[in-house]
Amino acid sequence: MHPDDTASLPAAAVPAASPESPASATPAGPTGDAGIADTGLTGDSGDADTGLTRDQADLRVAVRSFLAARPGAPWERLARELGVAGLAVPEEYGGAGCGTAEQAVVCEELGRALSPHPYLATAVLAVEALRAAADPGAMARLLPAIADGSRTATVLLPGDADLVLSRGRITGTAPCALDGEVVLAFAGDELVEAVPSSRTPLTTLDQTRPLVALSFDAVPVRPAGDGAARDRVRDAGVACLAAEQVGGAAACLEAAVEHALRRRQFGRPIGSFQAVKHKLADLLLLVESARSAALAAARALPGDLPVAAAIAGSYCTEAYLSAAGENIQIHGGTGVTWEHPAHRHLKRAAADAQLFGPPQAHRARLAAAAGL
């Protein structure tokens, strides 16, 4: 290979960032049984590149290893063996008592692997809703089963469903919701648990994240606490979705770089051509900027979360869409075939862009918060 072939490729995205990339000038880190290459760990201090603590870096490696070695494992096994479902569940209910920062680490790896596990709905939205509602009975009834992975859950946020709560019964529909066995809904000023009258699976663009239509025909509800924290729950979901989007965008970058190093035209790798180099360099900047926005949202103090989540929701959504599109572009004709996984990231990116509202909606929230 000509010495200039890879000189201008994004250094942070080349071999060390991809489990399948060839060895690089950067010494490889320890390789686990799941085939993960350089983990980026830096001993007791954690991860110097992302500012993760040692525990968070170890969590990242554990989740990545599990998903690589057992891609078809059921949700119960992931929850039981790694304990990720109960990360944010208080210790008295069988969890680890962690926060959004740790959840975001898991979400990034799930997004990277395009995992279908119901982590966002169950471990993020449902747990945050129950914690914020602060009803001891509801938490004791639901959180232990969520923490051990034996039950999944979902949350209907205001605006996602047309619901009327009257005399202990709820009526209405949720035309498009994340799936989960336990359904929690914000109705009026309350958080309630209700069993839907019907549950209809939807045919979706992104088949890795199941969505359903729910209807409620005057079904009785069980109170689950105060509903005043609905915005906080949504912001937590946006922050963790942003982390998922960063994971997906990073996977697209890794795949694009790997292909640019391997694919040859005119006797040299296509990654040596200036146009491809510029695409990859721009993509690296986009992914790392998105990661910064997602980390800021995951680590934000409660008072700063609305603004940080709006920034992350807007930027990370568009970054993932761009990364998925550029990955296909760099792969050329191969990237648009059904057999190649590139189209799956594009579908996930497009679906994610509507999950908590499009980027324009997040920017409108940001403008409102800034008084504009």
Side-chain angles (χ1 to χ4, degrees), residues 135-309:
D135 183 305
M139 288 191 287
R141 184 173 73 249
L142 298 174
L143 287 180
I146 290 176
D148 65 21
S150 59
R151 299 190 81 182
T152 61
T154 190
V155 177
L156 302 181
L157 293 162
D160 296 340
D162 183 14
L163 302 175
V164 176
L165 180 62
S166 176
R167 298 181 179 180
R169 292 180 176 271
I170 195 166
T171 301
T173 59
C176 184
L178 295 170
D179 199 10
E181 295 167 340
V182 176
V183 178
L184 300 171
F186 285 97
D189 296 325
E190 299 180 52
L191 177 69
V192 298
E193 178 190 355
V195 179
S197 304
S198 68
R199 185 190 302 258
T200 306
L202 299 176
T203 301
T204 59
L205 178 68
D206 172 28
Q207 298 180 10
T208 64
R209 199 190 298 276
L211 299 176
V212 294
L214 304 175
S215 67
F216 303 86
D217 185 12
V219 300
V221 301
R222 300 183 72 174
D226 181 46
R230 58 180 70 87
D231 291 338
R232 172 178 156 190
V233 175
R234 180 183 291 276
D235 288 337
V238 171
C240 285
L241 177 63
E244 275 196 21
Q245 292 168 323
V246 168
C252 291
L253 173 60
E254 292 169 10
V257 169
E258 182 182 5
H259 182 75
L261 289 170
R262 185 180 66 248
R263 181 77 168 100
R264 300 179 71 87
Q265 284 290 340
F266 307 107
R268 56 192 300 176
I270 63 171
S272 66
F273 302 140
Q274 189 176 51
V276 177
K277 290 178 182 178
H278 287 179
K279 274 186 178 294
L280 292 172
D282 290 344
L283 190 54
L284 173 63
L285 176 62
L286 192 67
V287 171
E288 291 305 316
S289 298
R291 178 173 281 115
S292 295
L295 284 171
R299 299 171 182 177
L301 296 174
D304 299 328
L305 180 57
V307 169

Side-chain angles (χ1 to χ4, degrees), residues 14 24 56 107 111-112 132 172 197 228-229 275 277 327-328 347 355 362 364:
V14 179
S24 69
Q56 291 168 350
C107 285
R112 185 178 182 276
S197 304
K277 290 178 182 178
N327 183 35
I328 291 176
K347 292 174 180 177
L355 193 54
H362 294 300

Side-chain angles (χ1 to χ4, degrees), residues 40-113:
L41 299 186
T42 55
D44 292 346
S45 61
D47 189 321
D49 293 333
T50 62
L52 298 180
T53 66
R54 182 178 183 180
D55 286 344
Q56 291 168 350
D58 289 346
L59 175 63
R60 180 186 65 178
V61 173
V63 175
R64 186 178 298 189
S65 299
F66 183 96
L67 294 174
R70 308 168 186 85
W75 165 247
E76 294 84 352
R77 185 174 181 185
L78 173 67
R80 183 179 66 253
E81 294 190 11
L82 297 186
V84 293
L87 272 179
V89 173
E91 293 182 16
E92 59 266 35
Y93 300 112
C98 297
T100 306
E102 287 73 27
Q103 290 178 317
V105 172
V106 177
C107 285
E108 183 170 343
E109 293 306 317
L110 293 174
R112 185 178 182 276

